[in-house]
Amino acid sequence: MTAPKKLFIKTYGCQMNVYDSERMGDAIAATGYVSVDTPDEADLILLNTCHIREKAAEKVYSELGRYRKFKDANPDLKIGVAGCVAQAEGEEIIHRQPMVDLVVGPQAYHRLPEMLAKVDKGERAVDTDFPTEDKFDHLPRGPKARRAPSAFLTVQEGCDKFCAFCVVPYTRGSEVSRPPQKLLTEARDLVERGVAEINLLGQNVNAYLADGWTLAKLIRELAKIDGLERIRFTTSHPNDMDDDLIAAHGDVEKLMPYLHLPVQSGSDKILKLMNRKHTAADYLKVLDRIRAVRPDIALSGDFIVGFPGEEESDFQATMELCEQVRYAMAYSFKYSARPGTPAANRVTVDEDVSAERLQRLQKLLTTHQTDFQQSMVGKTLPVLLEKSARDPGQMVGKSPYLHAVHCQADKNLVGKIVNIKVTRSERNSLVGDLVV
Ligand code: 5AD
Ligand code: SF4
């Protein structure tokens, strides 16, 4: 019997890429590969790439450069590029980089087995189509192995919003929602495999609509699954927070009190230039309505500073919005022009000005994050224990508000929700004691 071939997948970017890598791993495993954690002995290396911000393609080329020595040592090594850079620049990658055997866009992963068969014959394979069939129908599930307590489940892909800075509508395509019955089956399967928390993923997840089901209806039905303890979803657009989804935050106990709802800017002028289709006031109104039904909700957001046309007064409006919202957590980025997007050729804000604004914003966001974490000290929180931490006897889990929480606990508590009394707040996590 020949030894199975080894597959190494490196994942960049968002949680959806993490989910896709798992499913690609399952599909490739079905053709006789086993997964390994390092690239050095791999027979197939797959880069699952992200194109959202600048230097994405450069990062891919430099990573490929690092693999040259493996290819020299093992001429049979195959290298593939998947994900959003593959979608956007597939043809160029295959021309520029002779080391690459395979380029596959995010909507064509189910065709990987045939592509690999071609590659095994010494050909190169490129597929960046947006096929009409549902790739998840054609991607095999892995063996019924035990899973980590928290899992991702992609329910929706693509985006029809066309924010002026964003590549997603081009790399992931238009909005497609997966059929609810299939998702319920997949969720039950995850729970059977030890999953207690499901994070529903979509580029625009709250635009979910399939067979007349909205995201709220899907969440309500998922909540009926015994053994599924926690439900989360990400990422949402403010305009798609419908009444029922807001209500669900108040009446679905399993829906965790954490919402990632990006606004990008606090200035109406910039929001318009970004084509966000809402004002700062519209956004704040949505937050008020959610807080009315779930006062303790932890809010999270994304911000872009230095978007073309942003003046100091626009930036101040962003700072004011942050002061008003007091995010539990937020991500902020310097604008980077993405080729092919409507804002790509606009006059940019001076690089130093953007950098300085980003620093000011991040300082403010960090203060709020620290305050929120500090407010947890002394409280007892239900924590889903996920895995052992680096220190012996230490475990790490998640609070309802998505904090990483460290504590001393026995390994057999992995997958259980336990009460932890928070004793300390660290930079990006909490520390506490198991309450028995
Ligand atoms: N420049 C900077 N940040 C961007 N994002 C998306 N596109 C760009 C861009 N061109 C940020 C947005 C989005 C997050 C995932 O990445 O804030 O919400
Ligand atoms: Fe990109 Fe999100 Fe805007 Fe869609 S809603 S275009 S994914 S930033």
Side-chain angles (χ1 to χ4, degrees):
M1 206 175 96
T2 52
K5 291 202 229 173
K6 299 192 187 94
L7 163 71
F8 172 72
I9 305 185
K10 180 162 175 140
T11 308
Y12 296 84
C14 65
Q15 294 152 327
M16 193 173 285
N17 268 8
V18 175
Y19 179 83
D20 284 345
S21 288
E22 277 170 16
R23 300 298 303 268
M24 281 193 275
D26 287 344
I28 297 170
T31 72
Y33 280 83
V34 293
S35 286
V36 292
D37 296 331
T38 53
D40 38 333
E41 282 174 55
D43 299 290
L44 171 63
I45 298 178
L46 208 52
L47 296 182
N48 191 5
T49 60
C50 170
H51 199 236
I52 197 90
R53 281 175 293 276
E54 67 190 332
K55 303 205 178 82
E58 286 89 327
K59 272 191 217 154
V60 173
Y61 287 116
S62 80
E63 188 70 17
L64 288 170
R66 254 173 262 154
Y67 296 155
R68 186 171 304 281
K69 59 176 186 286
F70 303 135
K71 190 106 179 177
D72 289 343
N74 172 14
D76 288 335
L77 168 66
K78 307 292 182 217
I79 298 181
V81 180
C84 292
V85 176
Q87 186 66 42
E89 304 194 15
E91 287 297 333
E92 189 174 341
I93 293 171
I94 215 95
H95 285 127
R96 243 181 83 174
Q97 189 40 276
M99 258 167 69
V100 173
D101 302 285
L102 176 159
V103 166
V104 59
Q107 302 311 339
Y109 294 156
H110 54 297
R111 296 177 177 167
L112 267 167
E114 296 107 81
M115 294 176 78
L116 282 172
K118 219 169 134 182
V119 166
D120 277 340
K121 282 193 249 148
E123 293 169 46
R124 301 172 92 196
V126 182
D127 193 337
T128 51
D129 284 356
F130 286 103
T132 49
E133 75 267 16
D134 178 353
K135 71 176 170 220
F136 293 116
D137 279 352
H138 301 269
L139 280 170
R141 303 287 331 180
K144 291 245 170 217
R146 225 35 220 164
R147 295 281 307 251
S150 182
F152 296 127
L153 175 57
T154 292
V155 304
Q156 180 278 341
E157 268 192 88
C159 182
D160 297 340
K161 291 281 187 291
F162 291 94
C163 296
F165 50 81
C166 187
V167 288
V168 167
Y170 313 98
T171 57
R172 288 274 171 172
S174 55
E175 286 172 6
V176 179
S177 298
R178 298 182 59 202
Q181 293 307 336
K182 284 188 186 149
L183 296 172
L184 290 174
T185 304
E186 202 169 320
R188 281 190 212 103
D189 175 65
L190 288 170
V191 171
E192 271 170 35
R193 293 157 78 171
V195 169
E197 173 180 276
I198 293 185
N199 196 338
L200 307 174
L201 299 182
Q203 265 94 30
N204 215 354
V205 72
N206 57 343
Y208 178 87
L209 189 64
D211 301 347
W213 289 40
T214 59
L215 184 66
K217 163 107 170 140
L218 180 65
I219 289 170
R220 290 180 192 285
E221 292 301 316
L222 285 168
K224 292 180 187 161
I225 299 177
D226 279 340
L228 177 60
E229 308 293 343
R230 293 180 162 189
I231 302 168
R232 304 179 184 275
F233 62 90
T234 197
T235 289
S236 299
H237 191 284
N239 290 1
D240 293 318
M241 289 303 298
D242 64 35
D243 293 348
D244 198 21
L245 188 55
I246 293 175
H249 282 277
D251 62 43
V252 179
E253 226 176 286
K254 291 182 180 180
L255 184 58
M256 289 295 99
Y258 182 98
L259 177 65
H260 182 63
L261 195 63
V263 64
Q264 315 294 354
S265 168
S267 152
D268 286 345
K269 180 189 104 189
I270 296 299
L271 288 171
K272 202 164 173 48
L273 289 170
M274 285 178 164
N275 191 32
R276 289 286 298 178
K277 305 184 186 87
H278 61 77
T279 62
D282 296 334
Y283 175 76
L284 292 170
K285 213 177 298 158
V286 172
L287 298 192
D288 282 347
R289 293 182 59 209
I290 297 165
R291 278 181 163 152
V293 295
R294 188 74 212 225
D296 65 332
I297 193 138
L299 294 166
S300 149
D302 290 340
F303 292 91
I304 296 177
V305 302
F307 186 76
E310 186 187 77
E311 292 168 287
E312 178 59 25
S313 57
D314 300 307
F315 176 68
Q316 277 310 325
T318 299
M319 295 287 274
E320 275 155 34
L321 181 139
C322 291
E323 285 284 13
Q324 219 171 320
V325 176
R326 301 189 66 88
Y327 290 93
M329 170 84 198
Y331 305 87
S332 47
F333 314 98
K334 227 180 339 169
Y335 169 71
S336 63
R338 309 308 295 126
T341 59
N345 298 320
R346 297 187 195 163
V347 179
T348 51
V349 170
D350 180 84
E351 184 66 26
D352 291 345
V353 172
S354 288
E356 192 269 337
R357 283 181 193 160
L358 184 64
Q359 238 178 25
R360 271 191 283 161
L361 178 61
Q362 289 187 336
K363 196 165 160 219
L364 182 70
L365 294 170
T366 305
T367 316
H368 295 161
Q369 183 186 328
T370 309
D371 288 351
F372 184 65
Q373 284 185 201
Q374 203 63 46
S375 74
M376 296 291 140
V377 177
K379 286 194 177 141
T380 298
L381 300 176
V383 172
L384 172 62
L385 291 178
E386 290 182 7
K387 57 179 187 239
S388 302
R390 270 196 207 123
D391 299 335
Q394 283 274 327
M395 294 263 280
V396 61
K398 289 275 164 50
S399 80
Y401 311 106
L402 210 63
H403 300 111
V405 184
H406 292 263
C407 66
Q408 294 274 343
D410 196 273
K411 270 214 286 255
N412 64 20
L413 287 176
V414 165
K416 300 270 183 303
I417 296 176
V418 296
N419 284 327
I420 304 279
K421 182 159 188 192
V422 180
T423 53
R424 212 167 69 235
S425 164
E426 300 204 326
R427 221 173 116 93
N428 284 311
S429 62
L430 301 174
V431 182
D433 296 325
L434 193 64
V435 178
V436 277

